[in-house]
Amino acid sequence: MIVAGNWKMFEGPDPTALARRLESIDGVDAIVCPPYVSLARCVDAGLTTYAQNVHWEDEGAFTGEISPCMLLERDVAGSLVGHSERRQYFGETDEDVARRAKSALAAGLNVIACVGETQEQRNAGDTETVLRLQVDAVRVACGPHDRLVLAYEPVWAIGTGLTATPELAEAAHALIKSLLDVPVLYGGSVKPDNAAELMAQPSVDGALVGGASLDVESFAAICQAAAASRS
Ligand code: PGA
């Protein structure tokens, strides 16, 4: 099981305190995705650390971007790509996301590529079509890969307190796995009190946690629930 904490544009918990707390939990690969300025502190604390995004070129005139080799040289283990906030607020397309994922994998990083439908797309009955398009873009660029993980994050469940039911999550994960056979994390308002039932689903291989990853104890509780679900 994998539990990744996406700190977004928040300072996040103290990396040393978090690392110490996570040491006591076995059976889960815990990952933190802090803002770029905190990557080094997280690496130094011994946390498995991913960036929140990564560019496809090694270097160049791309203001505001960071390259795969820059991350690798600083012992950053991987990156998120395609988070819905990147797609929604910064206009990233399926093609951009696929390019980011492909270059990051080729450079030697681990990748968590995020997919998920909006409320309007779900209401219109387009969930399957949207997931197929998003997953296919990554599949065509990267194929199945042992350093690639997908995250199913229904956009309507992110930061809203609304969570997909375990049945709905399971159905989406099963569809995604039928398209690209890699581990699939669930994301969208995962909290200590709903983590166990989500992690119990056979096609849910872990969680991508936003708000609840900003607190050491709630992130640790989710990691514990993930570890317990497969023991
Ligand atoms: P949330 O965010 O847990 O705060 O809903 C999840 C995410 O965006 O990765």
Side-chain angles (χ1 to χ4, degrees):
M1 297 295 272
I2 301 167
V3 178
N6 175 12
W7 297 1
K8 309 192 179 186
M9 200 173 72
F10 292 98
E11 204 60 59
D14 174 59
T16 308
L18 179 61
R20 204 172 304 129
R21 181 68 183 84
L22 294 178
E23 263 168 26
S24 61
I25 304 171
D26 287 331
V28 63
D29 294 323
I31 296 165
V32 293
C33 311
Y36 289 122
V37 291
S38 301
L39 288 170
R41 283 173 61 224
C42 291
V43 169
D44 289 348
L47 292 163
T48 302
T49 305
Y50 284 23
Q52 294 176 13
N53 205 3
V54 61
H55 198 260
W56 48 86
E57 296 288 348
D58 286 346
E59 60 178 7
F62 300 104
T63 301
E65 296 282 337
I66 302 281
S67 77
C69 55
M70 288 171 176
L71 295 174
L72 279 167
E73 280 163 11
R74 286 156 182 83
D75 294 324
V76 174
S79 185
L80 301 178
V81 297
H83 190 278
S84 65
E85 287 150 17
R86 299 299 319 170
R87 296 176 186 264
Q88 231 181 332
Y89 305 136
F90 301 97
E92 292 196 19
T93 63
D94 288 348
E95 289 66 38
D96 296 330
V97 174
R99 279 216 272 182
R100 291 180 189 278
K102 184 179 178 181
S103 289
L105 289 170
L109 288 169
N110 299 299
V111 169
I112 299 174
C114 308
V115 299
E117 79 287 0
T118 64
Q119 186 72 70
E120 298 79 72
Q121 289 164 336
R122 176 159 285 273
N123 292 348
D126 290 338
T127 298
E128 184 170 334
T129 310
V130 169
L131 293 179
R132 278 183 187 279
L133 285 171
Q134 292 180 344
V135 174
D136 257 11
V138 176
R139 184 186 55 77
V140 168
C142 308
H145 193 293
D146 60 1
R147 279 183 280 104
L148 176 63
V149 167
L150 294 174
Y152 170 59
E153 298 205 302
V155 179
W156 47 269
I158 294 177
T160 58
L162 298 171
T163 318
T165 61
E167 295 72 27
L168 190 150
E170 174 60 23
H173 282 229
L175 168 69
I176 291 167
K177 277 175 179 288
S178 75
L179 301 170
L180 182 53
D181 190 16
V182 296
V184 183
L185 314 183
Y186 172 78
S189 298
V190 177
K191 307 286 177 211
D193 61 359
N194 61 22
E197 57 177 3
L198 288 160
M199 303 298 138
Q201 301 305 308
S203 305
V204 175
D205 302 305
L208 179 53
V209 186
S213 71
L214 298 174
D215 176 78
V216 170
E217 282 313 315
S218 67
F219 189 61
I222 293 168
C223 288
Q224 242 144 7
S229 74
R230 296 294 191 272
S231 62

